[in-house]
Amino acid sequence: MDAKPRAAARPKRIPGGRDGRRMLAIALVDRTGSGLWASVSVLYFTYVSGLSVAEVGTLAAAAGAVGIAGAPLGGRLADRLPITRVLISLQLLRALASLALLTTDNYTLLLAYSAVGSLGDRAANVLTKLYATRIAGPDRVRTQPHTPTDANVGGALGGLAAAAALAAATAYRWLLAGDALSFAAAALLTLRCGEPPSPSRIAATSKDTAPTTRPANPWRDRAYLAYVATETVLSLDDAVFKIGLSLWIAHTSHAPHGLAALLLVLNNVLVVALQVPLARLGTTTAAARNLLIPLSAAFGLGGITMALSADGGTSTTPLLLTVSAIAFTLAEMLHATVSWELSVALAPDTAQGAYLGVHGLAQSAQRSLGPLAVTAAIATGPIGWTTFGATIAATCLVQRRLVRDRLARTPLSVPPVTVSEH
């Protein structure tokens, strides 16, 4: 009898093989440590460092402003140096900045150390995405959904660990030390990752490349800068869950205050459960662009239901707020898929790092603009939330038209991927 044919090899779930899985593990460790610190940072500066409310707010704002420079700086370095070495250096820098906070209560030094940590955080965030993009190659769309999933799981684990530690009266300093150790562990894990090919460095060393040829400059690419501007608006959903929901519920008499925490848990659960399945809707560049239509609808629905909750009763208000949270979570997941693919597809291979670094400015900028946008929506009431949702919904359609001509001049960067390949 003929030997039975060998079963077809089972496709890898994570493109990039071991290095792809290691980078996801690194992201999980990183975000777990960040979750520890994010949960207690305000309390640490208030009760341990003895800062006033105004000083804590100024420190956070200043550190965030400095962090904006981290994304383009990290991207530029990744086009010139091995990305793993840069990432290791940034993780160690973040670890040192966290440990340095333990050494002083001087406001100027706390501000400086926080700014350095913020700079490293935004740069490392861009480099993690760039590494995943390079190691996965054409299959990068299948890597994308695992990144926000790991971030949510890591943030939740860190938050739960911090809550347990505080309940047990564990010192705030140990939580900050745990944050620093997570960055050191991430650096050690990165040492085991292989260096992916860099199109920009290959082009720079190629004998066929003319000496006078310069890589594309994202700061002179008006179309890409306009795209990044729309990305800043589309990223405002982040502020809804960090600030908007809690403040709105606090000012809505018919909603129990405990609902805010439950909706945040719902957000994390939905992202962990649905991010990977939803990413199958954007398996090509063209498909990712078309997702901007349902993304627009999700933002519009989120704003309308938030506005309607102001006039609801004791039963309808929680229901409307839940629908709004689901709509904004759906928007968050769809935008993650769209943003990952379009930001890479619109960037020239020879300047990928620089372009993704500029794209990272969108997330950095929304950290400052987001709180202002949602507090303005809350201050103006239902019409404010309707305008908030409608503005982002309209921006989705603007972005869809904006990238159309650019993509028409460029072949699709990602071949079709069947659902079975997941």
Side-chain angles (χ1 to χ4, degrees), residues 396-409:
C396 291
L397 302 180
V398 170
Q399 184 180 106
R400 186 172 185 271
R401 183 177 181 84
L402 183 68
V403 303
R404 181 185 60 186
D405 295 337
R406 175 99 170 216
L407 292 175
R409 297 192 300 267

Side-chain angles (χ1 to χ4, degrees), residues 63-79 83 86 90 115-130 218-219 224 228 351-367:
V66 172
I68 291 176
L73 176 62
R76 183 69 70 174
L77 288 173
D79 279 339
I83 190 171
V86 178
L90 288 171
V116 170
S118 179
L119 187 77
D121 177 72
R122 301 315 304 161
N125 185 276
V126 168
L127 292 188
T128 300
K129 173 182 177 179
L130 183 58
W219 297 106
Y224 197 83
V228 172
Q352 202 175 63
Y355 270 71
L356 291 185
V358 171
H359 179 263
L361 288 174
Q363 187 63 33
S364 298
Q366 78 82 23
R367 289 190 171 190

Side-chain angles (χ1 to χ4, degrees), residues 308-396:
L308 291 174
S309 69
D311 298 322
T314 55
S315 59
T316 57
T317 293
L319 177 61
L320 287 167
L321 288 171
T322 301
V323 172
S324 183
I326 293 173
F328 279 119
T329 300
L330 177 62
E332 175 188 342
M333 293 185 286
L334 291 176
H335 182 232
T337 296
V338 174
S339 179
W340 179 286
E341 174 55 24
L342 292 185
S343 63
V344 178
L346 296 172
D349 288 343
T350 55
Q352 202 175 63
Y355 270 71
L356 291 185
V358 171
H359 179 263
L361 288 174
Q363 187 63 33
S364 298
Q366 78 82 23
R367 289 190 171 190
S368 297
L369 297 176
L372 296 176
V374 295
T375 51
I378 293 170
T380 50
I383 193 172
W385 279 115
T386 303
T387 303
F388 178 86
T391 299
I392 306 178
T395 305
C396 291

